[in-house]
Amino acid sequence: MNSKLRASVFATILLALSSSVMAVETVRLKDIGKFAGWRENALVGYGLVTGLANTGDSPNNKATRQSIANVLAQFDVAVQPELVLSRNVAAVMVTAKLPPVARQGDSIDVTVTSIGDARSLVGGTLLTAPMKAPNGKVYALAQGALFVGGYKYDMNGNVAQKNHPTVGSIPAGAIVEVGVQAKIMSNENIMTFTLTDADFTTSSRIAAAINTAFGEPLAKALDAEGVEIRVPAADREYLVDFVTRIEKLSIEPDTRARVVVDERTGTIVSGGDVKIAKVVVSHGDLKLSIITDNSVSQPILVRNTAAEVRTETVSNSRINVSEKNESGFVSASNNTVADLIQALTRIKTSTRDIISILRAVKASGALRADLIIQ
């Protein structure tokens, strides 16, 4: 897709975004935030992957050799770590996320990554690996066959590789041994609803909507991100129903005007009905080139030549100046960013030039939005 066509497509997208946001739109509270304390917990463990086809850690990896000896010792097989020379085993780290609510026996997905010099984990099986939380307590046990979305084969200096064969996953590969229950109500019978995108106006609207729905002042906006909610005595025993009623409430969130520009790909996305003040844009395209022609001057041969008679190189330079035939003048008043881009597209302005113009409009103070350059 060429730059002119991309600019036209972006203008259409911006117009669609602006028109859709102009209409009043309400969203549920559960779609714009969550209750404090409702979060996932990170788990990590160390283990061994076996069954590799000579693609595991090399004998130079002392940690792997020691780990193999430790595993064999649990089955009454005494082997010195120095005697372990197999390349069918790899030392790995195992990571997972424990949900906010998990009961003993639940299954969670795990990711396995090599920490040694293994070439590939394809075809391997993870031995039982305890998974700990930051508090050092074991919450899950991981084990199973790995699924690796890649491969790596090499022979005689030739290598064939796809994706990252030293990273794999085990769907439902860990069993929860210790259940967890997220606590969203404090000892003072207070819950805090936190916004995904902090905004004072939205926070105030949430508090007002909760108080109106329950008919009493239960909620108070603490700041741009948090809304404190007092749980009535009658609802403390039935907290799930109380939270459900709150999550179902709908409000009209207030958003800050933003224009996001990705210079690497030439992408422009305008959030909302972004306005611009009266502005005049004059964008010229002047092309200047200097061309030099070198020619050789050969003197006429004479019978008696002198020292000053010789071949000379002569340089002839010329300057070419060209300008676009299209007009580079755009006047925008009481318009949106989408209108400006559509006007620039009509005069066949490239996407890269549109990005430069937006930066200049922002610098002039005419763009009433945050310009985010990525």
Side-chain angles (χ1 to χ4, degrees):
M1 183 184 296
N2 58 39
S3 59
K4 294 178 181 178
L5 180 57
R6 285 195 302 176
S8 178
V9 172
F10 291 146
T12 304
I13 293 175
L14 287 172
L15 282 172
L17 286 172
S18 298
S19 59
S20 63
V21 178
M22 286 177 65
V24 176
E25 181 182 359
T26 60
V27 297
R28 298 177 304 172
L29 293 189
K30 68 183 305 179
D31 296 328
I32 59 175
K34 63 180 180 179
F35 288 96
W38 188 262
R39 64 179 181 85
E40 295 178 327
N41 302 276
L43 300 180
V44 65
Y46 171 83
L48 292 177
V49 172
T50 61
L52 304 177
N54 202 35
T55 60
D57 293 339
S58 68
N60 296 328
N61 196 317
K62 296 181 180 180
T64 304
R65 291 189 297 172
Q66 183 65 59
S67 299
I68 296 174
N70 293 344
V71 171
L72 294 177
Q74 298 178 18
F75 298 94
D76 300 327
V77 178
V79 178
Q80 295 297 323
E82 294 77 12
L83 301 178
V84 178
L85 302 176
S86 174
R87 289 213 61 170
N88 295 338
V89 182
V92 296
M93 297 302 295
V94 188
T95 59
K97 290 184 178 180
L98 191 64
V101 176
R103 291 178 171 82
Q104 186 176 6
D106 289 351
S107 298
I108 56 177
D109 299 337
V110 299
T111 301
V112 180
T113 58
S114 171
I115 60 172
D117 54 359
R119 295 193 298 265
S120 174
L121 299 179
V122 173
T125 299
L126 175 69
L127 300 184
T128 302
M131 306 196 66
K132 299 180 180 181
N135 60 6
K137 188 175 181 179
V138 175
Y139 282 87
L141 296 176
Q143 179 176 288
L146 269 68
F147 291 88
V148 180
Y151 57 80
K152 181 178 181 181
Y153 302 103
D154 60 276
M155 181 175 290
N156 299 328
N158 298 318
V159 180
Q161 180 174 340
K162 178 182 179 181
N163 297 335
H164 296 278
T166 53
V167 178
S169 63
I170 309 177
I175 304 299
V176 176
E177 297 295 327
V178 178
V180 294
Q181 178 71 43
K183 185 179 180 181
I184 61 174
M185 185 174 66
S186 67
N187 296 331
E188 292 77 22
N189 303 314
I190 298 295
M191 297 191 307
T192 302
F193 185 84
T194 60
L195 289 166
T196 303
D197 296 321
D199 183 82
F200 284 103
T201 304
T202 304
S203 180
S204 176
R205 291 176 182 175
I206 291 175
I210 294 174
N211 293 335
T212 301
F214 288 90
E216 53 180 316
L218 301 179
K220 178 179 66 174
L222 298 176
D223 48 38
E225 185 184 21
V227 178
E228 186 180 84
I229 306 170
R230 177 175 56 84
V231 182
D235 294 310
R236 293 167 192 170
E237 248 184 273
Y238 306 96
L239 189 61
V240 173
D241 296 334
F242 181 73
V243 171
T244 300
R245 292 178 61 186
I246 294 177
E247 288 183 334
K248 286 183 178 179
L249 296 177
S250 297
I251 68 162
E252 180 187 348
D254 194 75
T255 57
R256 188 177 180 88
R258 293 177 180 174
V259 177
V260 180
V261 174
D262 190 334
E263 289 189 309
R264 296 186 301 273
T265 60
T267 303
I268 307 170
V269 177
S270 173
D273 188 22
V274 180
K275 296 289 187 179
I276 56 175
K278 294 182 179 181
V279 64
V280 174
V281 178
S282 180
H283 184 73
D285 188 3
L286 178 67
K287 180 180 179 181
L288 182 143
S289 60
I290 301 176
I291 302 175
T292 301
D293 296 326
N294 295 320
S295 59
V296 177
S297 176
Q298 180 67 43
I300 300 175
L301 295 179
V302 295
R303 179 173 298 178
N304 296 322
T305 59
E308 64 274 7
V309 179
R310 61 183 181 274
T311 301
E312 289 288 343
T313 301
V314 180
S315 298
N316 296 315
S317 299
R318 64 180 185 275
I319 300 176
N320 294 334
V321 179
S322 60
E323 289 186 277
K324 289 174 56 176
N325 294 327
E326 296 87 355
S327 172
F329 179 84
V330 175
S331 177
S333 58
N334 299 324
N335 286 334
T336 63
V337 171
D339 297 328
L340 175 61
I341 292 179
Q342 191 176 47
L344 293 171
T345 304
R346 283 197 296 266
I347 63 172
K348 300 180 180 180
T349 307
S350 67
T351 307
R352 298 291 179 183
D353 289 340
I354 291 177
I355 293 175
S356 299
I357 291 171
L358 284 176
R359 299 181 69 170
V361 171
K362 175 63 177 178
S364 69
L367 179 60
R368 295 165 180 167
D370 292 335
L371 183 62
I372 300 175
I373 307 295
Q374 295 181 342

